[in-house]
Amino acid sequence: MPWLLARDPSCAGERVLSLRGAGRPRAAGFTDLSREQSPRASSRSCVFLLRDRTDPGAGMGGRSGLPLRVLWILHAFLDLAGSQEIYAPHSIRVEGDVTLGGLFPVHARGVPGTPCGDIKKENGIHRLEAMMYALDQINGDDELLPNVTLGARILDTCSRDTYALEQSLTFVQALIQKDTSDVRCTNGEPPVFVKPEKVVGVIGASASSVSIMVANILRLFQIPQISYASTAPELSDDRRYDFFSRVVPPDSFQAQAMVDIVKTMGWNYVSTVASEGSYGEKGVDAFMQLSREAGGICIAQSLKIPHDHKPSDFDKIIRQLLDTRYARAVILFASDEDIRGILNASKRADQVGHFLWIGSDSWGAKNSPIQHLEDAAVGAITILPKRATISGQERIGIDSKYEQEGKVQFVIDAVYAMAHALHNMQRDMCPENSGICPEMEIAGGKKLLKYIRSVSFNGSAGTSVTFNRNGDAPGRYDLFQYQWNNVTGPGYRMIGQWTETLQLHKEDMQWPRGEQEVPTSVCSLPCKTGERKKVVKGMPCCWHCEPCDGYQFQPDEFTCKLCSYNMRPSANRTFCQPIPITKLEWHSPWAVIPVFLAMLGIIATIFVMATFIRYNDTPIVRASGRELSYVLLTGIFLCYIITFLMIAKPDVGVCSFRRIFLGLGMCISYAALLTKTNRIYRIFEQGKKSVTPPRLISPTSQLAITSSLISVQLLGVLIWFGVDPPNTIIDFDEQKTLNPDLARGVLKCDITDLQIICSLGYSILLMVTCTVYAIKTRGVPENFNEAKPIGFTMYTTCIVWLAFIPIFFGTAQSAEKLYIQTTTLTISMNLSASVALGMLYMPKVYVIIFHPELNVQKRKRSFKAVVTAATMSSRLSHKASDRPNGEAKTELCENVDPSSKYLTPHS
């Protein structure tokens, strides 16, 4: 097969490219490049041909053929780079029945003023050779496009979109109609024009910016285009790039893989760096859009590398990245040169190992971006569409470190996709022809595009090659990390893959600076348990941690919420738990003292009552008023008993008895005392006026008066029962301390402080009234009845209750309210009962037991005698101040028998 490399319109000079000049022997099977007249050229045109003396397919897949061809291509492009041909410079043409276009970055971008720079060995030469290899394989296949030979017109883009646009005009020349009616040669004859070959489809380009520029031209002429490396998401727009397809997945898939990697690593604060142009900027845009949709990822900075960059531009980018140094992860959508510039700048800034690079497929697993910068690349995670090393492509030299370029597989798949589409088209449109039929020649690019989008075959890597409705290939990526191993040295290691979902092997990953754990790239560290996030406005990944305090718990990471009234937060404040229930326990010091006093009081009361019953008919017992004494002792006994009801575990029964006996014991006691003092007062007041006894001083009358007074208390209790039935409650406010760990719910009867005071209020009223009568009867001589002991009892009781009231209400806000109030109330009642018991009955019991000789009746005295004696005693007491001490008393004692002080008017 002859290969047409270039044409020289001048045919001047002896420009001959020889394989000998490239240092290869002729035994490789190729003749020298010689100048030969093209069969379709004019007299002014000549071409350089390379003739193959062997079989057209020979050497294409063999060991010896490829190195010669690569060297020849290198030599040809180096030679042609300096030429000034006006007709498709930097190009290769392969004759065939159907011609495919090809766009490859054989040269790098040149310095300003020069379109092309140095040769790109990997991205350029290797990919170009892959297309040549694929053409040879297809042309040698008897089943794919039988009797049809694929030719090619391959152009160099020089890694520049504007230059590629100029070059790609070659593909559309055959479709442009020219009006040559006015053109004449100098001799008057019409000129002879060489009609360019028709290109049915284009393989390429590499860079997305180049593909976008070329696609805008090719779509106008309906020429289908299949790229092997352009991944910009913009090219998925089927309305703008309807004739564009690609065998690599778009960056939207790659960006999704990057988002999944970032989230899996726990990084939520990252920066992005993009090369200026469609590939870099659109790739970063896709990443940012997908990260917003996924949530939980914030962009610290989004920086762009200018086209015409200087080293200082990369230094500035590193300084800007360090402004947000907690964002260690950096997403890179950049070209090889820009990646090298970034890594170099990080070394100059002494930040090797600080940044966690996540490189796109432009980095992939290539060595060129990191050559001599391996230490700065350690830990970098890179992405590459799934690929395989093509066995028919061999390295140059046994000892060479030159590895097969990553996009070789996709170049071959792109050529095969075009071949399968042409094969299916030829089968459908030319069923009776073994080659290209006229119907196929005039079918046009739209028809071919339809067949391209419908192809489905196993590619060179064994994976299926298909296109979706936008012309995109499915997303399949291998994930690599650049690691430094002390045994094998630096190199890329596969750590996972992405095929719509991420599969990452974290255990195989290594990190710079010898870090064992996954490095962090976060704006703010996670809040501790029990702390909520207060997000910084506009930066959802940056927050301040605020503790949930008091009775707040943390239902989610952003909220502190109060527990319900009967709950408190758990130790880690993640949920609420019931507040423990407490009550006054029997073993509590607050209960032990009142119980002890009550037990002593009960024993003493029972002893007194037993003594009075035993000596019921003795003068002392009779003189005390037996009936009211037993009533009074019953009241004292109930005052002691209420202590046990106040400490017992509350339930409906206990609460009912509390209501009944809380004021009843005191009411009975003071009702009896009031009746006694009132009786004494009325007797002596009546005696001053008349010798007739006052009414209602009999024992029966006294009991009736006492009962009527007690009934008022019982009536109030009955009304209380009707209005508010007894019940138990759990008071969570009483012991709701500032520290929720100390909070307790208090189980108690449904009795408020006010209700307690109201229940005791009537008894207090009786006590005050009794005290008033005690004061009025203070002048009664002590020889008569119990006026003085009752007075002392009431004075002491008033002091006790005056102390009780401020203590009871002063502790209403205390955390120990239950204990203090219960103890205060029970002790006050115990003291009141003890005072009455001690002052009114203990002296009598003492005389009864230890001085029985005094417990005898001397004589009976009439009411008149008693009143007269009392009156005289009272008068004498008033004169006592005018006499020496003791005279009045002596005089009285001389007239009254000592035993008469235990007698009553009815005795």
Side-chain angles (χ1 to χ4, degrees), residues 230-252:
S230 298
T231 56
E234 181 181 355
L235 290 165
S236 296
D237 188 351
D238 194 44
R239 294 170 299 178
R240 296 177 56 193
Y241 306 103
D242 46 346
F243 281 83
F244 178 84
S245 305
R246 50 186 163 190
V247 290
V248 288
D251 286 338
S252 55

Side-chain angles (χ1 to χ4, degrees), residues 405-550:
E405 201 275 330
K407 294 294 194 301
V408 163
Q409 163 202 337
F410 301 104
V411 174
I412 296 172
D413 288 345
V415 177
Y416 266 88
M418 194 72 76
H420 278 281
L422 289 169
H423 177 84
N424 295 336
M425 184 177 180
Q426 191 266 345
R427 181 191 59 197
D428 294 344
M429 302 188 70
C430 311
E432 298 180 357
N433 293 353
S434 59
I436 301 298
C437 62
E439 290 82 358
M440 188 174 175
E441 289 184 352
I442 63 174
K446 269 192 176 180
K447 195 74 172 178
L448 178 58
L449 178 65
K450 177 183 176 182
Y451 282 96
I452 290 174
R453 296 289 173 86
S454 301
V455 298
S456 178
F457 62 96
N458 287 331
S460 53
T463 57
S464 63
V465 177
T466 58
F467 301 98
N468 63 15
R469 59 184 300 273
N470 296 323
D472 295 327
R476 291 187 291 258
Y477 296 97
D478 286 327
L479 308 180
F480 297 89
Q481 187 182 43
Y482 193 77
Q483 300 179 356
W484 191 291
N485 189 299
N486 292 329
V487 178
T488 61
Y492 292 99
R493 180 177 182 178
M494 184 180 292
I495 56 171
Q497 59 183 350
W498 189 92
T499 51
E500 297 186 357
T501 58
L502 177 66
Q503 301 173 32
L504 189 64
H505 307 302
K506 287 187 178 181
E507 65 277 5
D508 295 335
M509 302 179 75
Q510 293 181 4
W511 303 106
R513 300 177 176 176
E515 296 180 69
Q516 299 299 316
E517 300 294 329
V518 176
T520 59
S521 182
V522 295
C523 180
S524 302
L525 294 175
C527 292
K528 298 177 182 177
T529 303
E531 293 181 340
R532 76 178 185 95
K533 294 179 180 179
K534 186 177 181 182
V535 179
V536 177
K537 187 176 181 180
M539 290 296 289
C541 299
C542 301
W543 56 78
H544 304 294
C545 296
E546 292 185 347
C548 296
D549 53 9

Side-chain angles (χ1 to χ4, degrees), residues 306-325:
H307 269 311
D308 301 322
H309 48 69
K310 303 179 291 295
S312 59
D313 293 327
F314 295 107
D315 294 333
K316 180 181 178 182
I317 288 174
I318 294 297
R319 287 195 301 271
Q320 289 176 305
L321 291 176
L322 289 173
D323 289 340
T324 52
R325 61 183 307 109

Side-chain angles (χ1 to χ4, degrees), residues 179-202:
D179 182 10
T180 61
S181 58
D182 296 336
V183 179
R184 290 290 184 274
C185 293
T186 55
N187 58 3
E189 295 180 0
V192 176
F193 290 96
V194 177
K195 185 177 181 180
E197 71 274 35
K198 179 182 178 181
V199 174
V200 298
V202 175

